[in-house]
Amino acid sequence: MLVKATYTHKPVVPRGAGTWGLGGSVPVKGGYVLDMTAMDKIIDIDKENLVVTAQAGVTWKALSEALDEEGLFLPCYPSSAPSATLGGWIGTGGTGIGAYKYGTAGNIIRDLEVVLPAGHIVHTGDKYVPASGGGPNLTWMFVGSEGVLGVITEVTLSVLPKPEVLRAVAYSFADLSKFTPALRKLSRSDVVPMHVMFGDRAHFEYLRAVGKDAPDVGCMITCTLTGAKDKVDLDEKMLDEIMTSSGASKMPTEVAEHEWSERSYEFRVREMGIGAIPGEILVPIEGFERTLAEARTLVKKMKLKGPIIGSVADRNTIMLMPYYLTDDHNFFRSTAAMGFGKKLGDIAFENGGRPVGLGLFFAGNLTKYRGKDGADLIKRIKKAVDPEGILNPGKLVETGTRFGIPMPAVLMNFGMNMLAGMKRIMPRDKVGEAELSRLRK
Ligand SMILES: Cc1cc2nc3c(=O)[nH]c(=O)nc-3n(C[C@H](O)[C@H](O)[C@H](O)COP(=O)(O)OP(=O)(O)OC[C@H]3O[C@@H](n4cnc5c(N)ncnc54)[C@H](O)[C@@H]3O)c2cc1C
């Protein structure tokens, strides 16, 4: 089907809630921003077949609540669920809550309705059968495509019956670096928590500095178990054994439940009135300790304040999200601090992992992700579906500026490295120091 509309030849940029830190929905070459949040209807909840269809601008939280009323359960969603849209999270291909047990958005999609740049409307799958066979899997082509290949308008997802029990349990370790042995045991065990998330000492210290309830521990790991009560009871016992035999102490139930209830509000530190900018990387569990040590060294070298949070994405992969505090009012310092994201991404690549997504700043990493031939293939696909380059230009396959001046990827990378270098020679950041010293008194 072809949408009958005037072809504008001007850039069109799909935008969900604009929560992605990498600026994927910023219109770098002008044109139109397509605000998808107006497409906020849940079209059909098919309880019999455990399938839901909704427009792409529906938020993950709204969908989860609607399913809950029907006795159903959304297997995964980003922690930004209160504002992030279905199309936005699919567009970034990120990982999120529920990923350890159920996978990420791509794993639960049955079908996407997508409008291509020339106006054709395609369906990438089927409502009731998996999209395998019949050629390449078109659904996965749009997962993580960062809005450059098509505009997702409707999403059909597989959902689950609500589990009898959802239970959060938490453990503390002396330091995040001590978590690896427990992780190895967990990934080889029969215990499959829905979600495993963590925060380090600095993260909880900052939360306390803004007056929130947060434990005084070296780091805390919160695991959320789902299933029948007997199974969850057994899983909890096995988890206790895994964690305590690896040096952890079990935290009180109220602490675990509170942490779970706060899962969408990790950045409360912003209540200090400053910016908190996260960098997000995926690394293999085997490379976790080295990555952590190198990320901490980077934070120090760049004179940043850098708490670390994250989650375990699957049995092999850990998602680390160090965030740093920045004074948004100090243009030079906050801009220079952006070089942190680039350097953190480099650390991830060196340790067998990668940053999460490219967005506005890191299109230069596409070749590192896919190799030269893989990157060329993606560029050829883009050219084939969008020969005029109108959909979200300046992202994923190219870097760009609003003045129409092309910015070669190497130049962008060079600029980001320069920013990181500048930050290292600038005076130390003092953001958050007053609050912390009040807390420590
Ligand atoms: C507090 C906080 C927590 C976060 N937690 C997570 C997390 O747990 N996991 C995670 O992966 N990310 C997380 N993020 C990053 C971000 O929230 C997610 O990537 C989010 O899903 C983006 O959704 P959005 O609707 O805001 O999309 P936007 O930021 O508006 O867009 C993201 C990208 O998708 C494209 N896009 C948007 N809508 C469409 C559409 N309909 N069709 C095609 N392309 C589209 C845009 O062009 C852009 O490239 C978090 C961010 C914050 C601020």
Side-chain angles (χ1 to χ4, degrees):
M1 189 180 168
L2 183 67
V3 185
K4 284 206 174 117
T6 314
Y7 197 64
T8 66
H9 304 278
K10 285 195 177 162
V12 174
V13 180
R15 183 187 197 274
T19 62
W20 195 31
L22 295 187
S25 50
V26 174
V28 280
K29 290 189 179 172
Y32 301 100
V33 173
L34 211 52
D35 178 358
M36 298 302 293
T37 57
M39 294 192 76
D40 62 354
K41 306 265 171 317
I42 295 173
I43 297 165
D44 178 44
I45 298 181
D46 182 342
K47 279 175 79 167
E48 292 297 308
N49 294 293
L50 301 174
V51 167
V52 59
T53 301
Q55 290 183 325
V58 169
T59 66
W60 290 90
K61 184 168 187 235
L63 184 62
S64 175
E65 286 172 352
L67 290 170
D68 190 65
E69 279 175 23
E70 300 292 333
L72 297 173
F73 181 67
L74 186 61
C76 61
Y77 48 88
S79 63
S80 49
S83 24
T85 62
L86 303 185
W89 194 40
I90 293 168
T92 64
T95 183
I97 291 165
Y100 192 85
K101 185 167 185 176
Y102 305 112
T104 64
N107 298 103
I108 62 165
I109 297 171
R110 284 274 176 199
D111 181 37
L112 296 176
E113 180 189 81
V114 185
V115 181
L116 299 179
H120 300 91
I121 300 178
V122 292
H123 280 262
T124 64
D126 293 287
K127 192 166 180 179
Y128 298 119
V129 285
S132 57
N137 189 320
L138 291 182
T139 296
W140 278 101
M141 191 170 97
F142 291 97
V143 176
S145 64
E146 303 191 5
V148 309
L149 294 181
V151 180
I152 301 164
T153 46
E154 232 174 76
V155 178
T156 299
L157 302 172
S158 287
V159 294
L160 294 169
K162 202 155 48 169
E164 187 188 344
V165 171
L166 183 149
R167 185 182 301 160
V169 282
Y171 306 87
S172 67
F173 285 86
D175 183 68
L176 201 49
S177 59
K178 308 283 182 232
F179 179 35
T180 320
L183 256 180
R184 285 203 189 100
K185 284 185 203 165
L186 180 65
S187 64
R188 283 156 183 77
S189 79
D190 278 343
V191 186
V192 188
M194 167 197 180
H195 192 52
V196 182
M197 60 184 176
F198 53 81
D200 72 351
R201 180 184 295 284
H203 173 65
F204 295 117
E205 201 170 25
Y206 275 111
L207 287 177
R208 292 200 305 283
V210 288
K212 304 295 166 198
D213 254 352
D216 186 1
V217 288
C219 81
M220 184 163 78
I221 318 294
T222 306
C223 302
T224 308
L225 300 164
T226 48
K229 183 174 176 309
D230 291 351
K231 170 82 170 73
V232 169
D233 287 345
L234 184 64
D235 280 353
E236 184 177 351
K237 272 196 195 126
M238 289 168 69
L239 204 50
D240 287 351
E241 165 60 22
I242 290 169
M243 295 291 174
T244 52
S245 66
S246 311
S249 306
K250 193 164 186 185
M251 302 292 289
T253 307
E254 322 73 85
V255 176
E257 284 172 356
H258 178 261
E259 192 58 14
W260 175 245
S261 72
E262 283 286 295
R263 65 194 178 283
S264 285
Y265 306 99
E266 305 113 309
F267 299 113
R268 291 209 188 269
V269 64
R270 289 187 71 113
E271 288 176 28
M272 285 183 196
I274 52 181
I277 302 183
E280 206 179 334
I281 51 173
L282 287 167
V283 283
I285 286 174
E286 295 310 314
F288 171 59
E289 271 175 45
R290 209 173 50 225
T291 306
L292 182 66
E294 289 175 11
R296 283 176 165 167
T297 306
L298 178 67
V299 164
K300 263 197 203 126
K301 276 188 185 160
M302 290 189 67
K303 300 177 187 160
L304 294 162
K305 294 275 173 323
I308 295 180
I309 54 175
S311 62
V312 186
D314 60 31
R315 283 174 191 259
N316 307 311
T317 320
I318 196 152
M319 193 274 283
L320 269 178
M321 202 197 291
Y323 63 88
Y324 59 82
L325 310 181
T326 165
D327 178 359
D328 287 343
H329 303 295
N330 186 326
F331 175 77
F332 291 108
R333 220 175 274 178
S334 57
T335 307
M338 284 168 56
F340 177 76
K342 164 72 174 55
K343 290 287 183 193
L344 184 70
D346 291 347
I347 291 176
F349 283 123
E350 281 154 22
N351 287 293
R354 57 177 171 79
V356 180
L358 302 170
L360 176 56
F361 312 110
F362 303 122
N365 278 337
L366 185 63
T367 311
K368 280 191 179 171
Y369 264 67
R370 298 283 166 252
K372 187 182 173 314
D373 292 342
D376 283 349
L377 176 62
I378 293 171
K379 286 176 188 169
R380 286 204 298 276
I381 292 171
K382 165 73 174 170
K383 190 84 188 155
V385 295
D386 185 14
E388 300 211 25
I390 59 156
L391 200 60
N392 208 359
K395 315 284 167 54
L396 193 79
V397 291
E398 55 171 353
T399 43
T401 64
R402 59 178 305 183
F403 308 107
I405 307 162
M407 165 85 82
V410 281
L411 205 60
M412 187 66 126
N413 280 346
F414 178 74
M416 282 287 166
N417 285 332
M418 286 282 289
L419 286 178
M422 276 163 55
K423 183 70 188 64
R424 286 174 67 165
I425 52 174
M426 283 178 174
R428 193 166 56 88
D429 272 303
K430 293 208 164 63
V431 285
E433 270 185 10
E435 289 84 351
L436 274 188
S437 62
R438 264 201 303 278
L439 177 78
R440 284 170 185 161
K441 264 180 202 157

PDB file of all heavy atoms in Angstrom, residues 119-134:
ATOM      1  N   GLY A 119       6.560   6.197   1.231  1.00  0.00           N
ATOM      2  CA  GLY A 119       5.131   6.138   1.529  1.00  0.00           C
ATOM      3  C   GLY A 119       4.529   4.745   1.519  1.00  0.00           C
ATOM      4  O   GLY A 119       3.343   4.588   1.825  1.00  0.00           O
ATOM      5  N   HIS A 120       5.293   3.719   1.179  1.00  0.00           N
ATOM      6  CA  HIS A 120       4.754   2.352   1.228  1.00  0.00           C
ATOM      7  C   HIS A 120       4.561   1.925   2.683  1.00  0.00           C
ATOM      8  O   HIS A 120       5.386   2.256   3.545  1.00  0.00           O
ATOM      9  CB  HIS A 120       5.692   1.365   0.533  1.00  0.00           C
ATOM     10  CG  HIS A 120       5.916   1.674  -0.909  1.00  0.00           C
ATOM     11  ND1 HIS A 120       6.953   2.481  -1.337  1.00  0.00           N
ATOM     12  CD2 HIS A 120       5.220   1.320  -2.013  1.00  0.00           C
ATOM     13  CE1 HIS A 120       6.891   2.609  -2.647  1.00  0.00           C
ATOM     14  NE2 HIS A 120       5.839   1.920  -3.093  1.00  0.00           N
ATOM     15  N   ILE A 121       3.463   1.170   2.904  1.00  0.00           N
ATOM     16  CA  ILE A 121       3.241   0.650   4.261  1.00  0.00           C
ATOM     17  C   ILE A 121       3.516  -0.851   4.253  1.00  0.00           C
ATOM     18  O   ILE A 121       2.919  -1.585   3.463  1.00  0.00           O
ATOM     19  CB  ILE A 121       1.788   0.898   4.721  1.00  0.00           C
ATOM     20  CG1 ILE A 121       1.490   2.396   4.720  1.00  0.00           C
ATOM     21  CG2 ILE A 121       1.565   0.308   6.109  1.00  0.00           C
ATOM     22  CD1 ILE A 121       0.064   2.738   5.102  1.00  0.00           C
ATOM     23  N   VAL A 122       4.421  -1.302   5.111  1.00  0.00           N
ATOM     24  CA  VAL A 122       4.724  -2.735   5.153  1.00  0.00           C
ATOM     25  C   VAL A 122       4.433  -3.308   6.541  1.00  0.00           C
ATOM     26  O   VAL A 122       4.470  -2.590   7.537  1.00  0.00           O
ATOM     27  CB  VAL A 122       6.212  -3.031   4.813  1.00  0.00           C
ATOM     28  CG1 VAL A 122       6.530  -2.716   3.378  1.00  0.00           C
ATOM     29  CG2 VAL A 122       7.159  -2.293   5.742  1.00  0.00           C
ATOM     30  N   HIS A 123       4.134  -4.602   6.549  1.00  0.00           N
ATOM     31  CA  HIS A 123       4.039  -5.354   7.808  1.00  0.00           C
ATOM     32  C   HIS A 123       5.219  -6.306   7.837  1.00  0.00           C
ATOM     33  O   HIS A 123       5.462  -7.022   6.877  1.00  0.00           O
ATOM     34  CB  HIS A 123       2.702  -6.097   7.904  1.00  0.00           C
ATOM     35  CG  HIS A 123       1.597  -5.183   8.325  1.00  0.00           C
ATOM     36  ND1 HIS A 123       1.164  -5.108   9.622  1.00  0.00           N
ATOM     37  CD2 HIS A 123       0.886  -4.267   7.617  1.00  0.00           C
ATOM     38  CE1 HIS A 123       0.221  -4.170   9.705  1.00  0.00           C
ATOM     39  NE2 HIS A 123       0.032  -3.650   8.499  1.00  0.00           N
ATOM     40  N   THR A 124       5.924  -6.324   8.957  1.00  0.00           N
ATOM     41  CA  THR A 124       7.164  -7.105   8.996  1.00  0.00           C
ATOM     42  C   THR A 124       6.947  -8.542   9.459  1.00  0.00           C
ATOM     43  O   THR A 124       7.866  -9.341   9.409  1.00  0.00           O
ATOM     44  CB  THR A 124       8.171  -6.450   9.954  1.00  0.00           C
ATOM     45  OG1 THR A 124       7.615  -6.497  11.284  1.00  0.00           O
ATOM     46  CG2 THR A 124       8.466  -5.010   9.570  1.00  0.00           C
ATOM     47  N   GLY A 125       5.749  -8.849   9.976  1.00  0.00           N
ATOM     48  CA  GLY A 125       5.512 -10.204  10.491  1.00  0.00           C
ATOM     49  C   GLY A 125       4.030 -10.536  10.446  1.00  0.00           C
ATOM     50  O   GLY A 125       3.292 -10.001   9.612  1.00  0.00           O
ATOM     51  N   ASP A 126       3.601 -11.400  11.359  1.00  0.00           N
ATOM     52  CA  ASP A 126       2.196 -11.807  11.444  1.00  0.00           C
ATOM     53  C   ASP A 126       1.761 -11.735  12.895  1.00  0.00           C
ATOM     54  O   ASP A 126       2.575 -11.908  13.797  1.00  0.00           O
ATOM     55  CB  ASP A 126       2.042 -13.250  10.959  1.00  0.00           C
ATOM     56  CG  ASP A 126       2.318 -13.368   9.476  1.00  0.00           C
ATOM     57  OD1 ASP A 126       1.469 -12.922   8.691  1.00  0.00           O
ATOM     58  OD2 ASP A 126       3.412 -13.859   9.125  1.00  0.00           O
ATOM     59  N   LYS A 127       0.433 -11.563  13.064  1.00  0.00           N
ATOM     60  CA  LYS A 127      -0.047 -11.395  14.434  1.00  0.00           C
ATOM     61  C   LYS A 127       0.125 -12.680  15.259  1.00  0.00           C
ATOM     62  O   LYS A 127       0.475 -12.622  16.428  1.00  0.00           O
ATOM     63  CB  LYS A 127      -1.520 -10.990  14.382  1.00  0.00           C
ATOM     64  CG  LYS A 127      -2.074 -10.519  15.692  1.00  0.00           C
ATOM     65  CD  LYS A 127      -3.403  -9.814  15.494  1.00  0.00           C
ATOM     66  CE  LYS A 127      -3.966  -9.350  16.813  1.00  0.00           C
ATOM     67  NZ  LYS A 127      -5.237  -8.655  16.671  1.00  0.00           N
ATOM     68  N   TYR A 128      -0.134 -13.818  14.642  1.00  0.00           N
ATOM     69  CA  TYR A 128      -0.192 -15.046  15.437  1.00  0.00           C
ATOM     70  C   TYR A 128       0.911 -16.061  15.172  1.00  0.00           C
ATOM     71  O   TYR A 128       0.964 -17.078  15.840  1.00  0.00           O
ATOM     72  CB  TYR A 128      -1.562 -15.717  15.262  1.00  0.00           C
ATOM     73  CG  TYR A 128      -2.704 -14.847  15.750  1.00  0.00           C
ATOM     74  CD1 TYR A 128      -3.712 -14.418  14.893  1.00  0.00           C
ATOM     75  CD2 TYR A 128      -2.748 -14.436  17.083  1.00  0.00           C
ATOM     76  CE1 TYR A 128      -4.742 -13.611  15.346  1.00  0.00           C
ATOM     77  CE2 TYR A 128      -3.765 -13.619  17.545  1.00  0.00           C
ATOM     78  CZ  TYR A 128      -4.766 -13.213  16.674  1.00  0.00           C
ATOM     79  OH  TYR A 128      -5.769 -12.408  17.129  1.00  0.00           O
ATOM     80  N   VAL A 129       1.743 -15.819  14.201  1.00  0.00           N
ATOM     81  CA  VAL A 129       2.840 -16.782  13.983  1.00  0.00           C
ATOM     82  C   VAL A 129       4.173 -16.024  13.933  1.00  0.00           C
ATOM     83  O   VAL A 129       4.220 -14.873  13.511  1.00  0.00           O
ATOM     84  CB  VAL A 129       2.670 -17.602  12.671  1.00  0.00           C
ATOM     85  CG1 VAL A 129       1.616 -18.660  12.815  1.00  0.00           C
ATOM     86  CG2 VAL A 129       2.386 -16.703  11.488  1.00  0.00           C
ATOM     87  N   PRO A 130       5.239 -16.683  14.362  1.00  0.00           N
ATOM     88  CA  PRO A 130       6.528 -15.989  14.360  1.00  0.00           C
ATOM     89  C   PRO A 130       6.963 -15.619  12.943  1.00  0.00           C
ATOM     90  O   PRO A 130       6.614 -16.308  11.985  1.00  0.00           O
ATOM     91  CB  PRO A 130       7.498 -17.019  14.953  1.00  0.00           C
ATOM     92  CG  PRO A 130       6.666 -18.113  15.499  1.00  0.00           C
ATOM     93  CD  PRO A 130       5.339 -18.064  14.845  1.00  0.00           C
ATOM     94  N   ALA A 131       7.727 -14.547  12.854  1.00  0.00           N
ATOM     95  CA  ALA A 131       8.122 -14.032  11.534  1.00  0.00           C
ATOM     96  C   ALA A 131       9.354 -14.744  11.004  1.00  0.00           C
ATOM     97  O   ALA A 131      10.303 -14.114  10.549  1.00  0.00           O
ATOM     98  CB  ALA A 131       8.390 -12.530  11.644  1.00  0.00           C
ATOM     99  N   SER A 132       9.380 -16.083  11.082  1.00  0.00           N
ATOM    100  CA  SER A 132      10.571 -16.773  10.569  1.00  0.00           C
ATOM    101  C   SER A 132      10.267 -17.359   9.194  1.00  0.00           C
ATOM    102  O   SER A 132       9.122 -17.677   8.879  1.00  0.00           O
ATOM    103  CB  SER A 132      10.997 -17.883  11.530  1.00  0.00           C
ATOM    104  OG  SER A 132       9.927 -18.769  11.720  1.00  0.00           O
ATOM    105  N   GLY A 133      11.294 -17.519   8.388  1.00  0.00           N
ATOM    106  CA  GLY A 133      11.118 -18.054   7.032  1.00  0.00           C
ATOM    107  C   GLY A 133      10.596 -16.972   6.104  1.00  0.00           C
ATOM    108  O   GLY A 133      10.314 -15.839   6.520  1.00  0.00           O
ATOM    109  N   GLY A 134      10.470 -17.332   4.825  1.00  0.00           N
ATOM    110  CA  GLY A 134       9.939 -16.362   3.857  1.00  0.00           C
ATOM    111  C   GLY A 134      10.892 -15.194   3.645  1.00  0.00           C
ATOM    112  O   GLY A 134      10.457 -14.053   3.468  1.00  0.00           O
TER     113      GLY A 134
END
